[in-house]
Amino acid sequence: MAHTAPLISRRSATRLALAAAALSAFAAAPAAFASGDYPNKPIRLVVPYPPGGPTDIVARVVAQKLQEQLGQSIIVDNKPGAGANLGAEQVARSTPDGYTLMVATTAHAINPSLFSKLNYSITKDFTPISQLTSGPLVIVATPTLQASNVKELIALAKSRPGGLNYASSGNGQSTHLSAELFSAMAGVKMNHVPYKGSAPALTDVMSGQADLMFDTMLSSMPFVKGGKLKAIAVTSSERSPSAPDIPTIAEAGLPGYEAIAWNGMLAPAGTPKEVIDRLNAALRTVLQSPDVKQRFDGQGFAAKWDTPSAFGSFLNAEVEKWGKVVKTSGAKVD
């Protein structure tokens, strides 16, 4: 009997070890199952802007095609407010399981340096999935402006320091900071006149109340085609397929200039890699489909797929680039 107790202890220890291993495997199973079975319920795609705008249009085109690839419904949820920060903060705080995603824009790269207080970090609280679109702004001017190309615009601005008024859709928006980047690179000073949206700003440019504006092609090109505005140049490094006759700012007199409006898809930080890879692969098919490319070309932007790491590097570079422009411009929002 002296040897019985140690024998029972060894058996008990073995059973305990096996039980612990089984519990450990069971605990790990839900996460593995969730990733491997993804998606098994509808996905919410947050758009931090109102319905009907350029970002909302992109989101709905992508959502429709993405749900065909994934076999699950994708619900577009508009959460506008606070300069696109309200929706971003909600997604950053969401469960990182791949069922809450966000469409980010150039504004999210600008906001870290523009707002004195943010309750999230676009680079730390999110995991990049892929870029979705890339498109230029276009410099449009009142038809009577005595400049029809970039070199003439720079010469006119230099001859009238602070005398040219440029409109924007709001303080700190890409329509504002793209013009500030232009001014800094060209060594000119123009007077900024912020509006609440592109529509009233364009109205004043058309009437001559403001001289020019850096605006999205979606909202401004119909007026260019109608003769109510004249297009001077696009802000991308290459000409836009939707307006191939309009030169780039870089080729027309300001080498190295580039400012693009973009959309990308993000998930909360900590989302499993398997889920990110699944979404990225599906987006590749979506963004390379001819009908999606055609839809986006008609809106003035190009479909652009990227790997998660490449999109992450792009996002970091955008945050750094616009941070310098914000600092130079002195723009701030409390």
Side-chain angles (χ1 to χ4, degrees):
M1 296 295 293
H3 298 287
T4 304
L7 183 61
I8 292 171
S9 297
R10 284 197 296 271
R11 285 175 178 172
S12 298
T14 302
R15 286 171 181 166
L16 284 169
L18 289 170
L23 283 169
S24 176
F26 179 77
F33 176 78
S35 296
D37 196 41
Y38 177 86
N40 56 25
K41 63 180 180 179
I43 297 167
R44 184 168 69 109
L45 181 60
V46 173
V47 176
Y49 294 93
T55 302
D56 184 64
I57 291 171
V58 169
R60 291 178 189 278
V61 170
V62 170
Q64 179 186 350
K65 293 293 182 179
L66 189 59
Q67 66 186 13
E68 294 173 9
Q69 293 295 315
L70 298 176
Q72 281 290 344
S73 298
I74 297 181
I75 302 161
V76 175
D77 187 6
N78 297 89
K79 293 288 183 183
N85 291 320
L86 182 63
E89 183 180 344
Q90 288 184 11
V91 176
R93 302 289 174 259
S94 298
T95 304
D97 56 6
Y99 291 99
T100 303
L101 309 172
M102 182 179 81
V103 177
T105 71
T106 315
H108 293 103
I110 294 171
N111 288 350
S113 50
L114 181 67
F115 286 80
S116 56
K117 293 180 181 178
L118 283 183
N119 294 321
Y120 70 94
S121 166
I122 197 65
T123 54
K124 294 178 181 178
D125 292 333
F126 291 91
T127 299
I129 301 171
S130 175
Q131 195 168 336
L132 301 175
T133 65
S134 176
L137 301 179
V138 57
I139 306 177
V140 290
T142 185
T144 56
L145 187 71
Q146 295 176 317
S148 297
N149 57 53
V150 170
K151 288 183 178 178
E152 289 177 357
L153 177 59
I154 292 172
L156 182 63
K158 285 183 175 178
S159 71
R160 296 165 54 187
L164 288 182
N165 294 323
Y166 75 88
S168 82
S169 58
N171 189 39
Q173 299 294 312
S174 60
T175 55
H176 168 207
L177 295 176
S178 295
E180 289 293 334
L181 179 62
F182 177 89
S183 297
M185 290 182 66
V188 300
K189 176 65 178 174
M190 298 188 293
N191 183 45
H192 176 219
V193 184
Y195 290 77
K196 292 182 178 179
S198 285
L202 284 173
T203 298
D204 274 10
V205 176
M206 285 186 274
S207 69
Q209 294 296 312
D211 296 303
L212 67 147
M213 181 178 180
F214 287 59
D215 194 36
T216 63
M217 299 187 75
L218 177 65
S219 55
S220 59
M221 287 307 293
F223 298 111
V224 172
K225 292 173 182 176
K228 295 181 179 179
L229 292 169
K230 64 177 173 182
I232 292 177
V234 293
T235 63
S236 49
S237 60
E238 297 179 356
R239 295 193 182 201
S240 170
S242 60
D245 294 336
I246 303 176
T248 68
I249 291 174
E251 73 176 283
L254 195 57
Y257 182 95
E258 181 184 20
I260 58 169
W262 54 265
N263 294 117
M265 190 174 289
L266 301 173
T271 301
K273 183 179 183 300
E274 296 86 353
V275 171
I276 298 297
D277 289 344
R278 174 86 170 94
L279 288 165
N280 181 266
L283 283 173
R284 184 174 190 171
T285 302
V286 168
L287 296 169
Q288 291 179 350
S289 65
D291 55 337
V292 169
K293 287 184 176 182
Q294 187 176 10
R295 287 283 300 275
F296 288 164
D297 282 347
Q299 305 290 347
F301 18 77
K304 183 171 176 60
W305 172 86
D306 226 335
T307 64
S309 60
F311 180 44
S313 296
F314 169 80
L315 183 57
N316 287 331
E318 283 283 283
V319 170
E320 183 179 354
K321 169 185 174 178
W322 290 114
K324 293 175 182 177
V325 179
V326 169
K327 186 176 180 180
T328 300
S329 72
K332 265 302 180 204
V333 178
D334 293 322

